[in-house]
Structure formats: structure tokens, C-alpha cells
Amino acid sequence: MAKQKITGTIADYPFVEVKWLDCIADNSWMTVSRASKIEPAICISKGHLLVRNKKVITIFADYSYDMEDGSLTVGNTNTISGGWVQDVTEIIFNK
């Protein structure tokens, strides 16, 4: 996946922890009772916040600065459906 150029510096994109739900798929045979008790997985992802609105939240794990123009580029993005997001917490690092 190609890196995406964005504006600003890394300080403009807070580091967050996103708690979200994901589907569980199981292709094994099971009783109806057991199948009706399956719950979504609770997932945790961490990265710099790029987009947050009602529809989606997008975070990125990696970044670099373009050698030609110095612009910020990002990689390893994760876009999660807004309806799946349970909680978003900003992580503050001590300097």
C-alpha cells in the first residue's frame, strides 16, 4: 500500500487507543444455542488519529517525511466503521 501524504506535522495527529467491535466468523458445526451466544470480538488498536467522524475513524501506525518536499506521509492505516467504535482514548506520553 502506498503512503498517503498529509498536511502538518506529527504533533497535529494525537496518539490514540481505539476500542472497537469486530465480527466473529466460525465455520464449525454447533448447536443453535451455542451459535446464538456468540458475541463480537473486542479489539484494541493504537495509532495516530487521522480521521474521526460518525462514519469512520482512521488511524495510522507509521509515518515519515517526504525527502523532496518535507511533507508528512503515513502508512499502515486502519479505518474502522464508526458504528463499531466503543471508545477512543488519547494517550499522552511523558517527555
Coordinates of all heavy atoms in Angstrom, one line a residue:
M1 N 0.8 -1.2 0.0 CA 0.0 0.0 0.0 C 0.9 1.2 0.0 O 1.8 1.4 0.8 CB -0.9 0.0 1.2 CG -1.8 1.1 1.4 SD -2.9 0.9 2.8 CE -4.1 2.0 2.4
A2 N 0.6 2.2 -0.9 CA 1.4 3.4 -1.0 C 1.1 4.3 0.2 O 0.0 4.3 0.8 CB 1.1 4.1 -2.3
K3 N 2.2 5.1 0.6 CA 2.0 6.1 1.6 C 1.1 7.2 1.2 O 1.1 7.5 0.0 CB 3.4 6.6 2.0 CG 4.2 5.6 2.8 CD 5.5 6.3 3.1 CE 6.5 5.3 3.8 NZ 7.8 5.9 4.1
Q4 N 0.4 7.8 2.1 CA -0.5 8.9 1.8 C 0.1 10.1 2.4 O 0.4 10.2 3.5 CB -1.9 8.6 2.5 CG -2.9 9.8 2.3 CD -4.1 9.5 3.1 OE1 -4.3 8.5 3.8 NE2 -5.0 10.5 3.2
K5 N 0.2 11.2 1.5 CA 0.7 12.5 2.0 C -0.4 13.2 2.8 O -1.5 13.3 2.3 CB 1.2 13.3 0.9 CG 2.5 12.8 0.3 CD 3.1 13.8 -0.7 CE 4.4 13.3 -1.3 NZ 5.0 14.3 -2.2
I6 N 0.0 13.8 3.9 CA -1.0 14.6 4.7 C -0.3 15.9 5.1 O 0.9 16.0 5.0 CB -1.5 13.9 5.9 CG1 -0.4 13.4 6.8 CG2 -2.3 12.7 5.5 CD1 -0.8 12.8 8.1
T7 N -1.1 16.9 5.6 CA -0.5 18.2 5.9 C -0.1 18.2 7.4 O -0.6 17.4 8.2 CB -1.5 19.3 5.6 OG1 -2.7 19.0 6.4 CG2 -1.9 19.3 4.2
G8 N 0.7 19.2 7.7 CA 1.0 19.4 9.1 C 2.3 18.6 9.5 O 3.0 18.1 8.7
T9 N 2.4 18.5 10.9 CA 3.5 17.7 11.5 C 2.8 16.6 12.3 O 1.6 16.6 12.6 CB 4.4 18.5 12.4 OG1 3.6 18.9 13.5 CG2 4.9 19.8 11.6
I10 N 3.6 15.7 12.8 CA 3.1 14.5 13.5 C 2.4 15.0 14.8 O 1.5 14.4 15.3 CB 4.2 13.5 13.8 CG1 3.6 12.2 14.3 CG2 5.2 14.0 14.8 CD1 2.7 11.5 13.3
A11 N 2.8 16.2 15.3 CA 2.2 16.7 16.5 C 0.7 17.1 16.3 O 0.0 17.2 17.3 CB 3.0 18.0 17.0
D12 N 0.3 17.2 15.0 CA -1.1 17.5 14.7 C -2.0 16.3 14.8 O -3.2 16.5 14.6 CB -1.2 18.2 13.3 CG -0.4 19.5 13.2 OD1 -0.4 20.2 14.2 OD2 0.1 19.7 12.1
Y13 N -1.4 15.1 15.0 CA -2.2 13.9 15.0 C -2.0 13.1 16.3 O -1.0 12.5 16.5 CB -1.8 13.0 13.8 CG -2.0 13.8 12.5 CD1 -0.9 14.6 12.0 CD2 -3.2 13.8 11.9 CE1 -1.1 15.3 10.8 CE2 -3.4 14.6 10.7 CZ -2.3 15.3 10.2 OH -2.5 16.0 9.0
P14 N -3.0 13.3 17.2 CA -2.8 12.7 18.6 C -2.7 11.2 18.5 O -3.3 10.5 17.6 CB -4.1 13.1 19.3 CG -5.0 13.5 18.3 CD -4.3 14.0 17.1
F15 N -2.0 10.6 19.4 CA -1.8 9.2 19.5 C -3.0 8.6 20.4 O -3.3 9.2 21.5 CB -0.5 8.8 20.2 CG -0.2 7.3 20.0 CD1 0.4 6.9 18.8 CD2 -0.4 6.4 21.0 CE1 0.7 5.5 18.7 CE2 -0.1 5.1 20.9 CZ 0.5 4.6 19.7
V16 N -3.8 7.7 19.8 CA -5.0 7.2 20.5 C -5.0 5.7 20.6 O -4.3 5.0 19.8 CB -6.2 7.7 19.8 CG1 -6.4 9.2 19.8 CG2 -6.3 7.2 18.3
E17 N -5.8 5.2 21.5 CA -6.2 3.8 21.6 C -7.7 3.7 21.3 O -8.5 4.5 21.8 CB -6.0 3.3 23.0 CG -6.4 1.9 23.2 CD -6.2 1.4 24.6 OE1 -5.1 1.0 24.9 OE2 -7.2 1.4 25.4
V18 N -8.0 2.9 20.3 CA -9.4 2.7 19.8 C -9.9 1.3 20.3 O -9.3 0.3 19.9 CB -9.5 2.9 18.3 CG1 -11.0 2.7 17.9 CG2 -8.9 4.2 17.8
K19 N -11.0 1.3 21.0 CA -11.6 0.1 21.4 C -12.8 -0.1 20.5 O -13.6 0.8 20.4 CB -12.1 0.1 22.9 CG -12.7 -1.1 23.4 CD -13.1 -1.0 24.8 CE -13.9 -2.1 25.4 NZ -14.3 -1.9 26.8
W20 N -12.8 -1.3 19.8 CA -13.9 -1.4 18.8 C -14.3 -2.9 18.7 O -13.6 -3.8 19.2 CB -13.4 -0.9 17.4 CG -12.1 -1.5 16.9 CD1 -10.9 -1.3 17.3 CD2 -12.0 -2.5 15.8 NE1 -10.0 -2.0 16.6 CE2 -10.7 -2.7 15.6 CE3 -13.0 -3.1 15.0 CZ2 -10.2 -3.6 14.7 CZ3 -12.5 -4.0 14.0 CH2 -11.1 -4.2 13.9
L21 N -15.5 -3.1 18.1 CA -16.0 -4.4 17.9 C -15.7 -4.9 16.5 O -15.8 -4.2 15.6 CB -17.5 -4.5 18.2 CG -17.9 -4.0 19.6 CD1 -19.5 -4.0 19.7 CD2 -17.4 -4.9 20.6
D22 N -15.5 -6.2 16.4 CA -15.3 -6.9 15.1 C -16.1 -8.1 15.0 O -16.4 -8.7 16.1 CB -13.8 -7.2 14.9 CG -13.5 -7.4 13.4 OD1 -14.3 -7.2 12.5 OD2 -12.3 -7.7 13.1
C23 N -16.5 -8.5 13.8 CA -17.3 -9.7 13.7 C -16.5 -11.0 14.0 O -15.3 -11.0 13.9 CB -17.9 -9.8 12.3 SG -16.7 -10.2 11.0
I24 N -17.2 -12.0 14.4 CA -16.6 -13.3 14.6 C -17.3 -14.2 13.6 O -18.5 -14.3 13.5 CB -17.0 -13.8 16.1 CG1 -16.3 -13.0 17.1 CG2 -16.6 -15.3 16.2 CD1 -14.8 -13.1 17.2
A25 N -16.4 -14.9 12.9 CA -16.9 -15.9 11.9 C -16.5 -17.3 12.4 O -15.3 -17.5 12.8 CB -16.4 -15.6 10.5
D26 N -17.3 -18.3 12.3 CA -17.0 -19.6 12.7 C -17.6 -20.6 11.7 O -18.9 -20.6 11.6 CB -17.5 -19.9 14.1 CG -17.0 -21.2 14.7 OD1 -16.7 -22.1 14.0 OD2 -17.0 -21.3 16.0
N27 N -16.9 -21.4 11.0 CA -17.4 -22.3 10.1 C -17.6 -23.7 10.6 O -17.9 -24.7 9.8 CB -16.6 -22.4 8.8 CG -15.2 -23.0 9.0 OD1 -14.8 -23.2 10.2 ND2 -14.5 -23.3 8.0
S28 N -17.5 -23.9 11.9 CA -17.7 -25.2 12.5 C -19.2 -25.5 12.8 O -20.0 -24.6 12.9 CB -16.9 -25.4 13.8 OG -17.3 -24.4 14.8
W29 N -19.5 -26.8 12.9 CA -20.9 -27.2 13.3 C -21.1 -26.9 14.8 O -20.2 -27.2 15.6 CB -21.1 -28.6 13.0 CG -21.2 -28.9 11.5 CD1 -20.2 -29.4 10.8 CD2 -22.3 -28.7 10.7 NE1 -20.6 -29.5 9.5 CE2 -21.9 -29.1 9.4 CE3 -23.6 -28.2 10.9 CZ2 -22.8 -29.0 8.3 CZ3 -24.4 -28.1 9.8 CH2 -24.0 -28.5 8.5
M30 N -22.2 -26.3 15.1 CA -22.5 -26.1 16.6 C -24.0 -26.0 16.7 O -24.8 -25.9 15.8 CB -21.9 -24.8 17.0 CG -22.5 -23.5 16.4 SD -21.6 -22.0 16.9 CE -20.2 -22.1 15.9
T31 N -24.5 -26.1 18.0 CA -25.9 -26.1 18.2 C -26.4 -24.7 18.0 O -25.6 -23.7 18.1 CB -26.2 -26.5 19.7 OG1 -25.6 -25.6 20.6 CG2 -25.6 -27.9 20.0
V32 N -27.7 -24.5 17.8 CA -28.3 -23.2 17.7 C -28.1 -22.4 19.0 O -27.8 -21.2 19.0 CB -29.8 -23.4 17.4 CG1 -30.5 -22.0 17.5 CG2 -30.0 -24.0 16.0
S33 N -28.2 -23.1 20.1 CA -28.0 -22.5 21.4 C -26.6 -21.8 21.5 O -26.5 -20.7 21.9 CB -28.2 -23.5 22.5 OG -27.9 -22.9 23.8
R34 N -25.6 -22.6 21.1 CA -24.2 -22.1 21.2 C -24.0 -20.9 20.2 O -23.4 -19.9 20.5 CB -23.2 -23.2 20.9 CG -21.8 -22.7 21.0 CD -20.8 -23.8 20.8 NE -19.4 -23.3 20.6 CZ -18.5 -23.8 19.9 NH1 -18.7 -24.9 19.2 NH2 -17.3 -23.2 19.8
A35 N -24.5 -21.1 19.0 CA -24.4 -20.1 17.9 C -25.0 -18.8 18.3 O -24.5 -17.7 18.0 CB -24.9 -20.6 16.6
S36 N -26.2 -18.8 19.0 CA -26.9 -17.6 19.4 C -26.2 -16.9 20.5 O -26.5 -15.7 20.8 CB -28.3 -18.0 19.8 OG -28.3 -18.8 21.0
K37 N -25.2 -17.5 21.1 CA -24.5 -16.8 22.2 C -23.1 -16.2 21.8 O -22.5 -15.5 22.6 CB -24.2 -17.8 23.4 CG -25.4 -18.3 24.0 CD -25.1 -19.4 25.1 CE -26.4 -19.9 25.6 NZ -26.2 -21.1 26.5
I38 N -22.8 -16.3 20.5 CA -21.5 -15.7 20.0 C -21.6 -14.2 20.0 O -22.6 -13.6 19.6 CB -21.2 -16.3 18.6 CG1 -21.0 -17.8 18.7 CG2 -20.0 -15.5 18.1 CD1 -20.8 -18.4 17.3
E39 N -20.6 -13.6 20.6 CA -20.5 -12.1 20.7 C -19.4 -11.6 19.8 O -18.4 -12.3 19.5 CB -20.2 -11.7 22.1 CG -21.2 -12.2 23.1 CD -22.2 -11.2 23.6 OE1 -21.8 -10.0 23.5 OE2 -23.3 -11.5 24.0
P40 N -19.5 -10.4 19.3 CA -18.4 -9.8 18.5 C -17.1 -9.7 19.4 O -17.1 -9.7 20.6 CB -18.8 -8.4 18.2 CG -20.3 -8.4 18.4 CD -20.6 -9.4 19.5
A41 N -15.9 -9.7 18.7 CA -14.6 -9.6 19.4 C -14.4 -8.2 19.8 O -14.8 -7.2 19.1 CB -13.5 -10.0 18.4
I42 N -13.9 -8.0 20.9 CA -13.5 -6.6 21.4 C -12.0 -6.4 21.0 O -11.1 -7.2 21.5 CB -13.7 -6.5 22.9 CG1 -15.1 -6.6 23.3 CG2 -13.2 -5.1 23.4 CD1 -15.4 -6.7 24.8
C43 N -11.7 -5.5 20.1 CA -10.4 -5.2 19.6 C -9.9 -3.9 20.1 O -10.6 -3.0 20.4 CB -10.4 -5.2 18.1 SG -11.1 -6.7 17.4
I44 N -8.5 -3.8 20.2 CA -7.9 -2.6 20.6 C -6.8 -2.3 19.5 O -6.0 -3.1 19.2 CB -7.1 -2.8 22.0 CG1 -8.1 -3.2 23.1 CG2 -6.4 -1.5 22.3 CD1 -9.1 -2.2 23.5
S45 N -6.9 -1.1 19.0 CA -5.9 -0.6 18.0 C -5.3 0.7 18.5 O -6.0 1.5 19.1 CB -6.5 -0.4 16.7 OG -7.0 -1.6 16.1
K46 N -4.0 0.9 18.3 CA -3.4 2.2 18.7 C -2.7 2.8 17.5 O -2.1 2.1 16.6 CB -2.3 1.9 19.8 CG -3.0 1.4 21.0 CD -1.9 1.2 22.1 CE -2.6 0.6 23.4 NZ -1.6 0.2 24.4
G47 N -2.7 4.1 17.4 CA -2.1 4.8 16.3 C -2.4 6.3 16.4 O -3.1 6.8 17.3
H48 N -1.9 7.0 15.4 CA -2.2 8.5 15.3 C -3.5 8.7 14.7 O -3.8 8.1 13.6 CB -1.1 9.2 14.6 CG 0.3 9.2 15.3 ND1 0.6 10.1 16.2 CD2 1.3 8.3 15.2 CE1 1.8 9.8 16.7 NE2 2.2 8.7 16.1
L49 N -4.3 9.5 15.2 CA -5.7 9.8 14.7 C -5.6 10.7 13.5 O -5.1 11.8 13.5 CB -6.5 10.5 15.8 CG -7.9 10.9 15.4 CD1 -8.7 9.6 15.1 CD2 -8.6 11.6 16.6
L50 N -6.1 10.2 12.4 CA -6.2 10.9 11.1 C -7.6 11.4 10.8 O -7.7 12.6 10.5 CB -5.7 10.0 10.0 CG -5.6 10.6 8.6 CD1 -4.6 11.8 8.6 CD2 -5.2 9.5 7.6
V51 N -8.6 10.6 10.9 CA -10.0 11.0 10.6 C -10.9 10.4 11.7 O -10.7 9.3 12.1 CB -10.4 10.4 9.3 CG1 -11.9 10.7 9.0 CG2 -9.6 10.9 8.1
R52 N -11.8 11.3 12.2 CA -12.8 10.8 13.1 C -14.1 11.5 12.8 O -14.2 12.8 12.9 CB -12.4 11.0 14.5 CG -13.5 10.4 15.5 CD -13.0 10.6 16.9 NE -14.0 9.9 17.8 CZ -13.9 9.9 19.1 NH1 -13.0 10.6 19.7 NH2 -14.8 9.3 19.9
N53 N -15.1 10.8 12.4 CA -16.5 11.3 12.2 C -17.5 10.2 12.5 O -17.1 9.2 13.0 CB -16.6 11.9 10.7 CG -16.3 10.9 9.7 OD1 -16.8 9.7 9.8 ND2 -15.6 11.3 8.6
K54 N -18.7 10.5 12.3 CA -19.8 9.4 12.6 C -19.6 8.2 11.8 O -19.9 7.1 12.2 CB -21.2 10.0 12.4 CG -21.5 11.1 13.4 CD -22.9 11.6 13.2 CE -23.3 12.6 14.2 NZ -24.7 13.1 14.1
K55 N -19.1 8.3 10.6 CA -19.0 7.2 9.7 C -17.8 6.3 9.9 O -17.9 5.1 9.9 CB -19.0 7.7 8.2 CG -19.0 6.6 7.2 CD -19.1 7.2 5.8 CE -19.1 6.1 4.7 NZ -19.0 6.6 3.4
V56 N -16.6 6.9 10.2 CA -15.3 6.1 10.3 C -14.4 6.8 11.3 O -14.5 8.0 11.6 CB -14.6 6.0 9.0 CG1 -15.4 5.2 7.9 CG2 -14.1 7.3 8.4
I57 N -13.4 6.0 11.7 CA -12.2 6.5 12.4 C -11.1 5.9 11.7 O -11.1 4.7 11.4 CB -12.2 6.2 13.9 CG1 -11.0 6.9 14.6 CG2 -12.2 4.7 14.2 CD1 -11.1 6.9 16.1
T58 N -10.1 6.7 11.3 CA -8.9 6.2 10.7 C -7.7 6.6 11.5 O -7.5 7.8 11.9 CB -8.7 6.8 9.3 OG1 -9.9 6.4 8.5 CG2 -7.5 6.3 8.6
I59 N -6.8 5.6 11.8 CA -5.6 5.8 12.5 C -4.4 5.3 11.6 O -4.6 4.6 10.7 CB -5.5 5.1 13.9 CG1 -5.7 3.6 13.7 CG2 -6.6 5.7 14.8 CD1 -5.5 2.9 15.1
F60 N -3.2 5.8 11.9 CA -2.0 5.3 11.2 C -0.9 5.0 12.2 O -0.8 5.7 13.2 CB -1.5 6.3 10.1 CG -1.1 7.7 10.6 CD1 0.2 7.9 10.9 CD2 -2.0 8.7 10.7 CE1 0.6 9.2 11.4 CE2 -1.6 10.0 11.2 CZ -0.3 10.2 11.5
A61 N -0.2 4.0 11.9 CA 0.9 3.5 12.8 C 2.2 4.0 12.4 O 3.1 4.2 13.3 CB 0.9 2.0 12.8
D62 N 2.5 4.3 11.2 CA 3.8 4.7 10.7 C 3.8 6.0 10.0 O 2.8 6.3 9.3 CB 4.4 3.6 9.8 CG 4.5 2.2 10.4 OD1 4.8 2.1 11.6 OD2 4.1 1.2 9.7
Y63 N 4.9 6.7 10.0 CA 5.0 8.0 9.3 C 6.4 8.3 8.9 O 7.3 7.8 9.5 CB 4.3 9.1 10.1 CG 5.1 9.5 11.3 CD1 6.1 10.5 11.3 CD2 4.8 8.9 12.5 CE1 6.7 10.8 12.5 CE2 5.5 9.2 13.7 CZ 6.5 10.2 13.7 OH 7.1 10.5 14.8
S64 N 6.6 9.1 7.9 CA 7.9 9.6 7.5 C 7.7 11.0 6.9 O 6.5 11.4 6.7 CB 8.6 8.6 6.6 OG 7.9 8.6 5.4
Y65 N 8.8 11.6 6.6 CA 8.7 12.9 5.9 C 9.3 12.7 4.5 O 10.3 12.1 4.3 CB 9.5 14.0 6.7 CG 8.8 14.3 8.0 CD1 9.2 13.7 9.2 CD2 7.8 15.2 8.1 CE1 8.6 14.0 10.4 CE2 7.1 15.5 9.3 CZ 7.6 14.9 10.4 OH 6.9 15.1 11.6
D66 N 8.5 13.2 3.5 CA 8.9 13.1 2.1 C 10.3 13.8 1.9 O 10.4 15.0 2.4 CB 7.8 13.7 1.2 CG 8.1 13.5 -0.2 OD1 8.9 14.3 -0.8 OD2 7.6 12.6 -0.8
M67 N 11.2 13.1 1.3 CA 12.5 13.7 1.1 C 12.6 14.9 0.1 O 13.5 15.7 0.2 CB 13.5 12.6 0.6 CG 13.8 11.6 1.7 SD 14.9 10.3 1.2 CE 16.4 11.2 1.2
E68 N 11.6 15.0 -0.8 CA 11.6 16.1 -1.7 C 11.0 17.3 -1.2 O 11.5 18.4 -1.3 CB 10.8 15.6 -3.0 CG 11.5 14.6 -3.8 CD 10.8 14.1 -5.0 OE1 9.8 14.8 -5.4 OE2 11.1 13.1 -5.6
D69 N 9.8 17.2 -0.6 CA 9.1 18.5 -0.1 C 8.9 18.5 1.4 O 8.4 19.5 1.9 CB 7.8 18.7 -0.8 CG 6.8 17.6 -0.5 OD1 7.0 16.8 0.4 OD2 5.7 17.6 -1.2
G70 N 9.3 17.5 2.1 CA 9.2 17.5 3.6 C 7.9 17.3 4.1 O 7.6 17.4 5.4
S71 N 6.9 17.0 3.3 CA 5.5 16.7 3.8 C 5.5 15.4 4.5 O 6.2 14.5 4.3 CB 4.5 16.7 2.6 OG 4.8 15.7 1.7
L72 N 4.5 15.3 5.4 CA 4.3 14.1 6.2 C 3.6 13.1 5.4 O 2.6 13.4 4.7 CB 3.4 14.5 7.4 CG 3.2 13.5 8.5 CD1 4.5 13.1 9.2 CD2 2.2 14.0 9.5
T73 N 4.1 11.9 5.4 CA 3.5 10.7 4.8 C 3.2 9.7 5.8 O 3.9 9.5 6.8 CB 4.3 10.1 3.6 OG1 5.6 9.6 4.2 CG2 4.6 11.2 2.6
V74 N 2.1 8.9 5.6 CA 1.7 7.9 6.6 C 1.5 6.5 5.9 O 1.3 6.4 4.7 CB 0.4 8.3 7.3 CG1 0.5 9.6 8.0 CG2 -0.8 8.4 6.3
G75 N 1.7 5.5 6.7 CA 1.5 4.1 6.3 C 0.8 3.3 7.4 O 0.6 3.8 8.5
N76 N 0.5 2.1 7.1 CA -0.2 1.2 8.0 C -1.4 1.8 8.6 O -1.6 1.9 9.8 CB 0.7 0.7 9.1 CG 1.7 -0.4 8.6 OD1 1.3 -1.2 7.7 ND2 2.9 -0.4 9.0
T77 N -2.3 2.3 7.7 CA -3.6 2.9 8.2 C -4.6 1.8 8.5 O -4.6 0.7 8.0 CB -4.2 3.8 7.1 OG1 -4.4 3.1 5.9 CG2 -3.2 5.0 6.8
N78 N -5.5 2.1 9.4 CA -6.6 1.3 9.8 C -7.8 2.1 9.9 O -7.9 3.1 10.7 CB -6.3 0.7 11.2 CG -7.2 -0.5 11.6 OD1 -8.2 -0.8 10.9 ND2 -6.9 -1.1 12.7
T79 N -8.8 1.8 9.0 CA -10.1 2.5 9.0 C -11.2 1.6 9.6 O -11.4 0.5 9.1 CB -10.5 2.9 7.6 OG1 -9.4 3.8 7.1 CG2 -11.8 3.7 7.6
I80 N -11.8 2.1 10.6 CA -12.8 1.3 11.4 C -14.2 2.0 11.2 O -14.3 3.2 11.4 CB -12.4 1.2 12.9 CG1 -11.0 0.6 13.0 CG2 -13.4 0.4 13.7 CD1 -10.4 0.8 14.4
S81 N -15.2 1.2 11.0 CA -16.6 1.7 10.9 C -16.9 2.4 12.2 O -16.7 1.9 13.3 CB -17.6 0.6 10.7 OG -18.9 1.1 10.7
G82 N -17.5 3.6 12.1 CA -17.8 4.4 13.3 C -18.8 3.7 14.2 O -18.8 3.8 15.4
G83 N -19.7 2.9 13.6 CA -20.7 2.1 14.4 C -20.0 1.0 15.3 O -20.7 0.5 16.2
W84 N -18.8 0.6 14.9 CA -18.1 -0.4 15.7 C -17.3 0.1 16.8 O -16.9 -0.6 17.7 CB -17.2 -1.2 14.8 CG -17.8 -1.9 13.6 CD1 -19.2 -2.1 13.4 CD2 -17.2 -2.6 12.6 NE1 -19.4 -2.8 12.3 CE2 -18.2 -3.1 11.7 CE3 -15.8 -2.7 12.2 CZ2 -17.8 -3.8 10.6 CZ3 -15.5 -3.4 11.1 CH2 -16.5 -4.0 10.3
V85 N -17.0 1.4 16.8 CA -16.1 2.1 17.8 C -16.9 2.2 19.1 O -18.0 2.7 19.2 CB -15.7 3.4 17.3 CG1 -14.9 4.1 18.4 CG2 -14.8 3.3 16.1
Q86 N -16.2 1.7 20.2 CA -16.8 1.7 21.5 C -16.2 2.9 22.3 O -16.9 3.5 23.2 CB -16.5 0.4 22.2 CG -17.0 -0.8 21.5 CD -18.5 -0.8 21.5 OE1 -19.2 -0.9 22.5 NE2 -19.1 -0.7 20.3
D87 N -14.9 3.1 22.1 CA -14.2 4.1 22.9 C -12.9 4.6 22.2 O -12.3 3.8 21.6 CB -13.9 3.6 24.3 CG -13.4 4.6 25.3 OD1 -13.9 5.7 25.3 OD2 -12.4 4.3 26.0
V88 N -12.6 5.9 22.4 CA -11.3 6.4 21.9 C -10.7 7.2 23.0 O -11.3 8.1 23.6 CB -11.6 7.3 20.6 CG1 -10.2 7.9 20.2 CG2 -12.3 6.6 19.5
T89 N -9.4 6.8 23.3 CA -8.7 7.4 24.4 C -7.4 8.0 23.9 O -6.6 7.3 23.3 CB -8.4 6.4 25.5 OG1 -9.7 5.8 26.0 CG2 -7.8 7.1 26.7
E90 N -7.2 9.3 24.1 CA -5.9 9.8 23.7 C -4.8 9.4 24.7 O -5.0 9.4 26.0 CB -5.9 11.4 23.7 CG -4.6 12.0 23.2 CD -4.7 13.5 23.0 OE1 -5.8 14.1 23.1 OE2 -3.6 14.0 22.6
I91 N -3.6 9.0 24.2 CA -2.5 8.6 25.1 C -1.5 9.7 25.0 O -1.0 10.1 24.0 CB -1.9 7.3 24.5 CG1 -3.0 6.1 24.6 CG2 -0.7 6.9 25.3 CD1 -2.6 4.9 23.9
I92 N -1.2 10.2 26.2 CA -0.2 11.3 26.4 C 1.1 10.6 26.9 O 1.1 10.0 27.9 CB -0.7 12.3 27.4 CG1 -2.1 12.9 27.0 CG2 0.3 13.4 27.5 CD1 -2.1 13.6 25.7
F93 N 2.2 10.9 26.2 CA 3.5 10.4 26.6 C 4.2 11.4 27.4 O 4.2 12.6 27.0 CB 4.3 10.0 25.4 CG 3.7 8.8 24.6 CD1 3.0 9.1 23.5 CD2 3.9 7.5 25.1 CE1 2.4 8.0 22.7 CE2 3.3 6.5 24.3 CZ 2.6 6.7 23.2
N94 N 4.9 11.0 28.5 CA 5.7 12.0 29.2 C 7.0 12.2 28.5 O 7.6 11.3 27.9 CB 6.0 11.4 30.6 CG 4.8 11.2 31.5 OD1 3.9 12.0 31.4 ND2 4.8 10.3 32.4
K95 N 7.4 13.5 28.5 CA 8.6 13.9 27.7 C 9.7 14.0 28.7 O 9.7 14.3 29.8 CB 8.4 15.1 27.0 CG 7.4 14.9 25.8 CD 7.2 16.2 25.1 CE 6.2 16.0 23.9 NZ 6.0 17.1 23.1

